[in-house]
Amino acid sequence: MMLPLALCLVWLVLANLIAMFPSRDHHWRAAYVLIALGIPLLGWVTYEHGPIIGIAVLAAGASILRWPLVFFWRWVRSRIGSREG
């Protein structure tokens, strides 16, 4: 039952280590890999430990991957804004 949380901790440490090293593409490839690994992991944690822990893990992951979320939010707003006018 602790395996999903341990894997989340490994994911968080790995994400922080990746962020410490320079990257030519500003870590976008690593962000895609982290997102692809993090979404099923988040589902597993939520399934095993409930929605409160799942939301806490989601917040931790969002704090690490904030720029992909910012760009996604801007993209969604631009798509919604173009349909209103």
Side-chain angles (χ1 to χ4, degrees):
M1 192 155 182
M2 292 299 289
L3 182 62
L5 290 177
L7 290 176
C8 284
L9 180 63
V10 169
W11 185 92
L12 288 170
V13 169
L14 181 67
N16 281 300
L17 286 174
I18 289 170
M20 289 183 197
F21 295 107
S23 173
R24 290 186 189 270
D25 68 344
H26 302 288
H27 303 289
W28 280 103
R29 274 183 281 157
Y32 294 140
V33 171
L34 288 170
I35 291 168
L37 293 174
I39 290 174
L41 189 57
L42 177 64
W44 190 19
V45 167
T46 305
Y47 177 75
E48 290 287 331
H49 297 283
I52 302 297
I53 302 298
I55 289 171
V57 171
L58 175 66
S63 72
I64 299 284
L65 296 172
R66 62 189 167 271
W67 283 111
L69 287 175
V70 167
F71 287 122
F72 177 71
W73 180 248
R74 288 178 185 169
W75 177 78
V76 167
R77 280 192 356 197
S78 71
R79 300 291 258 175
I80 291 172
S82 65
R83 291 182 183 170
E84 290 178 3

